[in-house]
Amino acid sequence: MRYFFKSLLKHYAFYLGGDQPTVAWVERWRSVFGAFIGLLLVFTTAKFLGELGGIGEWLMASLGASALLVFVLPQSPMAQPWAVIAGNTLSALVGILCFQLLGDALITLPLAVALSILGMFILRCLHPPAAAVALIAVLGHVGHYRYAFFPVMVDSILLILVGAIYSNLTGKSYPNKPLR
């Protein structure tokens, strides 16, 4: 009976995070602190720029997910500057266009995400949090393209800059160097 429960636990542990790699605590804290400092700097700068320009929208909600990729998985192809900046900006543009053409119809949400994914495939800038940017544009009834450039593109650029500085100061190479 004991063997049965042990093998059952081992079999199902995979579905409870057993497939996640073990990460040293020093690396965990490096990533957590980096995400905190990075987002604090990005949000502070974006808020200042928004107030300076008289723009109410200065925050991109999916930036937390982008920060996870940039600070926790900096070697991932989906965390590289082109993926983050182009993926987020493209998805915002697609979401805005879908909202302008279709309004807040139910079909607008999945269409905006699907077209964003297609665009990211074409431009080779797959970035999972960017799919949420398309949803945010539709759900937020964003009808002006300025939103794609500020806050979305500007926040993405700021995140990449802070991520690069922080990663390189703490011994992680970011962004990836091209293969020769």
Side-chain angles (χ1 to χ4, degrees):
M1 185 64 122
R2 185 176 183 185
Y3 174 76
F4 172 75
F5 284 119
K6 195 173 186 177
S7 84
L8 192 67
L9 180 62
K10 185 177 180 182
H11 176 74
Y12 286 104
F14 174 84
Y15 299 105
L16 300 173
D19 60 337
Q20 295 291 307
T22 304
V23 178
W25 275 101
V26 69
E27 179 60 21
R28 292 177 190 189
W29 284 111
R30 188 201 71 77
S31 299
V32 167
F33 186 70
F36 173 76
I37 294 298
L39 288 172
L40 181 64
L41 290 171
V42 169
F43 293 156
T44 302
T45 304
K47 185 166 176 32
F48 172 75
L49 291 174
E51 289 173 355
L52 194 65
I55 300 169
E57 306 97 12
W58 55 270
L59 177 62
M60 182 177 72
S62 64
L63 206 59
S66 293
L68 183 144
L69 288 169
V70 170
F71 289 96
V72 179
L73 301 168
Q75 299 307 308
S76 168
M78 295 179 187
Q80 299 311 302
W82 175 250
V84 176
I85 297 166
N88 283 332
T89 305
L90 169 74
S91 295
L93 290 168
V94 169
I96 294 164
L97 178 65
C98 286
F99 177 71
Q100 285 182 342
L101 294 176
L102 302 171
D104 60 0
L106 186 58
I107 193 152
T108 310
L109 293 167
L111 184 63
V113 171
L115 291 176
S116 294
I117 293 169
L118 176 63
M120 287 188 280
F121 268 125
I122 292 168
L123 295 180
R124 298 176 54 95
C125 59
L126 284 173
H127 183 64
V133 174
L135 286 177
I136 291 165
V138 174
L139 290 171
H141 297 165
V142 177
H144 44 83
Y145 290 100
R146 179 186 44 77
Y147 177 80
F149 301 103
F150 184 78
V152 175
M153 187 175 77
V154 170
D155 285 1
S156 298
I157 291 169
L158 291 171
L159 182 70
I160 292 300
L161 291 174
V162 173
I165 292 167
Y166 181 79
S167 289
N168 288 292
L169 285 175
T170 59
K172 292 282 184 182
S173 177
Y174 179 80
N176 284 344
K177 307 289 186 264
L179 298 173
R180 294 183 186 240

